């Protein structure tokens, strides 16, 4: 396995965003020549990036035959659009190295959980903006294209069902000015890739309406989507098994553990 780290923050920034890439090395004795790659954005309310939604997720998908990468993006006091530009830098790095890393360039996907789900979905709504891309990363906007979007219990709306703390951390003093722009059920467009979403009906932190509003917007734009709403489970389940339990030990929810199998199947059929 190849392990690589890249500093993603802007030159002179006080923030230290880091991209960690895990590449399964090519072997002539293995028939697989190229593998999909998933860029993972952990949650944490834009205050931090969760360890539970980072390496455990990456290693689970590596065991299923994927390359993976984890973005520890800049959080508060960094504000929008700092983390978005960091995601775009990650896509440029990955696409620039796709051949050497034996990455299937038609299956470079982004995955996000909770506030990391907001970041991933927000990127999928904005990546095509040539002003955004050219100013920050690459004049060839196609280098920044995501081929698929995977979301776990994502923060989506800044409206009635908002996880308010995430937007306070993301926008700071500009919350009132920018809240509509980052309410993603209003920003879905034809450039958003095919999407896989899962959430729980009983999430008490990020209401399931976030997922439903985003899925409705995707349907209106005719973007093919697979959605799973599990009947039980709180917020931040990660793998929903004993490997990603917190000290409260409430995240081992058998009904939800199948989400990884479902996402792997969806990705392989992408």
């Amino acid at each position: 396995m190849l392990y690589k780290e890249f500093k993603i923050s802007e030159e002179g920034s006080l923030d230290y965003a880091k991209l960690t890439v895990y590449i399964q090395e090519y072997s002539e004795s293995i028939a697989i020549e190229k593998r999909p790659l998933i860029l993972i954005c952990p949650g944490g309310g834009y205050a931090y990036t969760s360890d539970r939604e980072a390496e455990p997720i990456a290693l689970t998908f590596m065991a299923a035959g994927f390359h993976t990468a984890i973005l520890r993006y800049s959080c508060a006091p960094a504000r929008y659009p700092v983390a978005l530009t960091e995601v775009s830098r990650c896509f440029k790095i990955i696409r620039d190295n796709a051949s050497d890393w034996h990455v299937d360039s038609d299956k470079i996907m982004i995955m996000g959980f909770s506030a990391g789900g907001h970041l991933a979905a927000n990127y999928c709504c904005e990546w095509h903006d040539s002003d955004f891309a050219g100013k920050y990363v690459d004049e060839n906007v196609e280098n920044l294209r995501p081929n698929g979007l995977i979301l776990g219990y994502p923060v989506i709306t800044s409206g009635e069902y908002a996880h308010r703390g995430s937007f306070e951390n993301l926008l700071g003093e500009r919350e009132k000015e920018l809240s509509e722009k980052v309410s993603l059920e209003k920003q879905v467009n034809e450039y958003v890739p095919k999407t896989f979403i899962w959430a729980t009906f009983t999430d008490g932190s990020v209401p399931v309406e976030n997922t439903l509003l985003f899925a409705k917007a995707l349907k209106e734009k005719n973007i093919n989507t697979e959605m799973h709403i599990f009947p039980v489970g709180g917020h931040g389940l990660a793998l929903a098994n004993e490997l990603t339990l917190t000290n409260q030990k409430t995240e081992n929810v058998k009904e939800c553990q199948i989400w990884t199998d479902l996402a792997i199947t969806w990705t392989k059929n992408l």
Side-chain angles (χ1 to χ4, degrees), residues 90-198:
C90 291
F91 267 86
K92 175 158 176 61
I93 289 170
I94 292 165
R95 291 204 177 274
D96 284 349
N97 290 279
S99 179
D100 290 342
W101 293 348
H102 293 273
V103 173
D104 183 345
S105 59
D106 291 327
K107 289 189 177 182
I108 299 175
M109 294 152 286
I110 186 167
M111 173 189 290
F113 300 86
S114 192
H118 182 273
L119 175 59
N122 197 0
Y123 179 77
C124 287
C125 291
E126 291 201 32
W127 70 269
H128 65 285
D129 187 320
S130 59
D131 290 336
F132 172 84
K135 179 179 179 181
Y136 292 108
V137 182
D138 195 322
E139 292 181 359
N140 181 5
V141 69
E142 285 299 311
N143 285 338
L144 310 181
R145 177 188 291 274
N147 300 118
L149 172 61
I150 303 172
L151 300 174
Y153 40 88
V155 172
I156 294 294
T157 182
S158 65
E160 179 182 357
Y161 301 104
H163 182 259
R164 190 57 56 199
S166 290
F167 291 101
E168 291 171 356
N169 288 328
L170 177 63
L171 302 177
E173 294 179 354
R174 301 181 70 192
E175 184 177 1
K176 185 175 181 180
E177 172 192 350
L178 294 175
S179 61
E180 186 89 356
K181 182 174 177 59
V182 295
S183 198
L184 301 182
E185 78 279 14
K186 300 177 181 179
Q187 303 303 327
V188 172
N189 54 62
E190 65 271 22
Y191 294 98
V192 177
K194 292 181 179 181
T195 301
F196 176 99
I197 318 176
W198 72 277

Side-chain angles (χ1 to χ4, degrees), residues 243-260:
L243 297 177
T244 51
L245 284 174
T246 65
N247 291 329
Q248 285 71 43
K249 298 184 178 180
T250 59
E251 297 84 14
N252 191 351
V253 183
K254 291 183 179 179
E255 291 88 341
C256 301
Q257 291 172 8
I258 197 174
W259 83 262
T260 54

Side-chain angles (χ1 to χ4, degrees), residues 226-237:
E226 180 172 333
M227 179 176 65
H228 299 275
I229 307 297
F230 296 101
V232 294
H235 189 66
L237 294 182

